[in-house]
Amino acid sequence: MATKPQVPAVRDLARDAILKSMLENISGYNRKYPGVNIHVLKQAVIEKVVDAPNPQKPDVEFDPEIQLRGFLRAFASTPAYTTKFNVLDDKTKEQIRAFKDGDNWQETVKNGFRLPEINPAVSHALDTSAGSSNFPTQVKDCVLSSLTFIIKPLSLLFMKLKMGLGVEVLAHAQATRYAGGPKVYEDEDTANAKPIEVYSRLPFRNWGENINNTPLYTFVPTTILGIQNLVRYAKQNNLRVRCGGYRHSRWSTLSQDGEILISLLPIIQVTSLPDPISIRPTSQSDKPTELNRIELLDETPEVMQGKRWCRVGAAVTLEAFREWAVNLKQWTLPVDVILVETTIGGVNAPICHGAGAGKGTISDYVRRIEYVDANGNLQFVSNPGQLRAAAGCFGLLGVVTNITYELDAMTYAIMKPLKVDVAQAIPPLAKEAIPYALRTPEYDNITQEQLEKWKEAFNKRAAEDYYAEWFWFTYQKKIWVNSWKNTTDGTDFLDYPNGADTFFQWLQGWIGGVMTDTYFFQALPGAWQAQLLATLGLAVLPPTVGEDATPTYKTLLPNALHFRRGVQNTRVRDMEY
């Protein structure tokens, strides 16, 4: 009979207890995972968190520059690092090397940071030997000019690697662009008509890697007529049609075995990590199509003072829309998700969250939905009552092609981020409600009067601030409070995050993706995994060393809504409340 796993004592789940356990025991992994520099991981990451608080700035627990450099050095010799590093362009490699070797991160990007341009034809080095310290999730579906390499489901790969059989890479000749798939046309069916880009039996994997299937055909249309023709083809052949953008859904709303998948973005874009969009200017203006245009409309009702209607293609990425709004400096969506690596259609369909109390969801700002119905006919919904059902349709209305939003006049966020104790950030109803593992040494001396003041401040933020969000990283005793008001005064605003900040954020996401792709990380106890990820995630959020304990950033509203870049580059499975 299998023994029941022992549940750690509550005191052992405290942050410091986990760190102490790591320091005492992590060297035991040295022999099995020689590619990981465990000495550096202990010295530059774990010990820094435990031993290097800044007495002048109690809200700052470690220098994130030293800590991030420690992560780079610790994993620099792993196959996962080598694989992800080799696909970067030369300039980015040079900048990463310089920072890893000791250059100040501000100096590293003083001549500008350009996101890696990933060559889709790069052949990925893969160590297939048993016991390799790179987890096979580093291999991405890479679309070549004539062939796509596909890896088998992760569970099977893991079993084979454990058995020493190596990675089996399958070549699917049928996944060739156009070949093996039906010709469905983007434009009028004439002698010069252009067929929709199509892939036959191209395996699908979502970002969280919890959904794996093989659609019969994957189409990448660029016109509304193309989508209409595609839906009519599907109806004639009794096939179901589903759509995908950046594949961030954890639910099976994306694709199915043996059915049709419409990809709103190029295949290489949605299957590549790291992703170019968060730093390199997008190709929104370079390659406008009927599905990725942004158009200000003149039909905004006159009674809507300070508002403007805007027609946005479902394939427009949030990064493209952010760039458009920031460059124009006139109109903006008043709410949005943080991530920029997703599409307008993707965040609207599942009714994604807004910014603060009373702001509603993204779908609450929809004024018209255009879609192709089950018969291949182009339809639209603009009736306010019907929009309550159609604006956030969960993919059940049809193939959404364009969405008209009501935008607000551009405003500016006054960000004052804080890192404070759990009890201060989200005060308990009663003092004893804070778990022991989350209490600081000073907690026992907190008075009821202090708790009441914290409750009052929390209620005020939640009820009155334009944007209010609290971030807690597992096992941490501090919470990152991102709550701010906005203003119409546009004087002295900053570009936030600036180029150096963006590099730092992008690099943190990149090394997070490297780390989680290693066998070493997969073998660690869950509490250790959570601690390493929390340390990495909390480090780069302001305030950090070199700033005031309470820094202030005044920036354009879209930049404040999208305050973190490169999150996409670390795969996670999470829940949000």
Side-chain angles (χ1 to χ4, degrees), residues 328-368:
L328 193 64
K329 296 182 180 62
Q330 293 182 3
W331 306 100
T332 182
L333 267 173
V335 300
D336 218 331
V337 297
I338 299 167
L339 201 67
V340 297
E341 299 93 344
T342 187
T343 61
I344 286 285
V347 298
N348 186 75
I351 317 178
C352 284
H353 67 76
K359 298 297 184 299
T361 70
I362 292 173
S363 301
D364 287 308
Y365 296 87
V366 173
R367 298 297 173 260
R368 181 189 293 118

Side-chain angles (χ1 to χ4, degrees), residues 235-249:
K235 182 179 180 181
Q236 291 171 1
N237 291 274
N238 196 29
L239 294 170
R240 174 175 289 182
V241 176
R242 293 200 176 187
C243 297
Y246 259 100
R247 308 182 175 200
H248 284 294
S249 174

Side-chain angles (χ1 to χ4, degrees), residues 549-570:
T550 54
T552 297
Y553 308 100
K554 182 178 181 181
T555 190
L556 290 154
L557 184 71
N559 285 339
L561 293 174
H562 301 297
F563 62 87
R564 278 291 273 123
R565 313 285 167 77
V567 179
Q568 143 100 2
N569 295 326
T570 303

Side-chain angles (χ1 to χ4, degrees), residues 391-455:
C393 59
F394 289 95
L396 302 176
L397 186 66
V399 180
V400 173
T401 59
N402 284 274
I403 305 169
T404 297
Y405 286 100
E406 182 177 291
L407 305 184
D408 280 0
M410 180 64 72
T411 55
Y412 301 82
I414 304 174
M415 302 176 68
K416 296 182 178 181
L418 298 169
K419 290 176 184 173
V420 296
D421 291 345
V422 169
Q424 182 178 348
I426 303 184
L429 297 178
K431 184 176 177 179
E432 60 272 14
I434 292 291
Y436 171 86
L438 301 182
R439 298 180 186 180
T440 59
E442 300 79 21
Y443 186 78
D444 291 337
N445 298 321
I446 293 173
T447 65
Q448 188 62 34
E449 183 181 6
Q450 284 176 300
L451 277 180
E452 292 303 320
K453 287 183 179 179
W454 291 345
K455 288 178 186 178

Side-chain angles (χ1 to χ4, degrees), residues 36 41 45 71 74-75 78 80-81 84 133-135 508-522 524 528-529 531-534 536 570:
V36 180
L41 191 63
V45 176
F71 274 107
F75 292 96
T78 63
Y81 187 103
K84 292 180 182 292
S133 64
N134 67 313
F135 200 61
Q508 180 259 335
W510 182 82
I511 192 60
V514 169
M515 179 174 68
T516 56
D517 269 6
T518 62
Y519 265 163
F520 165 77
F521 182 83
Q522 297 290 333
L524 297 178
W528 292 13
Q529 291 182 358
Q531 181 62 60
L532 285 174
L533 287 172
L536 187 58
T570 303

Side-chain angles (χ1 to χ4, degrees), residues 172-231:
H172 283 256
Q174 286 188 327
T176 306
R177 196 180 189 184
Y178 303 120
K183 284 191 175 182
V184 181
Y185 292 95
E186 292 262 40
D187 45 20
E188 297 297 335
D189 192 4
T190 65
N192 296 318
K194 176 190 173 186
I196 303 174
E197 184 176 316
V198 59
Y199 302 86
S200 175
R201 300 192 182 279
L202 181 66
F204 174 91
R205 184 175 66 202
N206 72 326
W207 182 68
E209 296 186 330
N210 64 306
I211 299 175
N212 293 272
N213 51 51
T214 305
L216 179 62
Y217 302 119
T218 300
F219 287 89
V220 189
T222 60
T223 68
I224 294 172
L225 178 60
I227 293 177
Q228 291 180 269
N229 290 337
L230 180 52
V231 170

Side-chain angles (χ1 to χ4, degrees), residues 1-8:
M1 180 181 294
T3 58
K4 186 177 180 180
Q6 186 175 357
V7 178

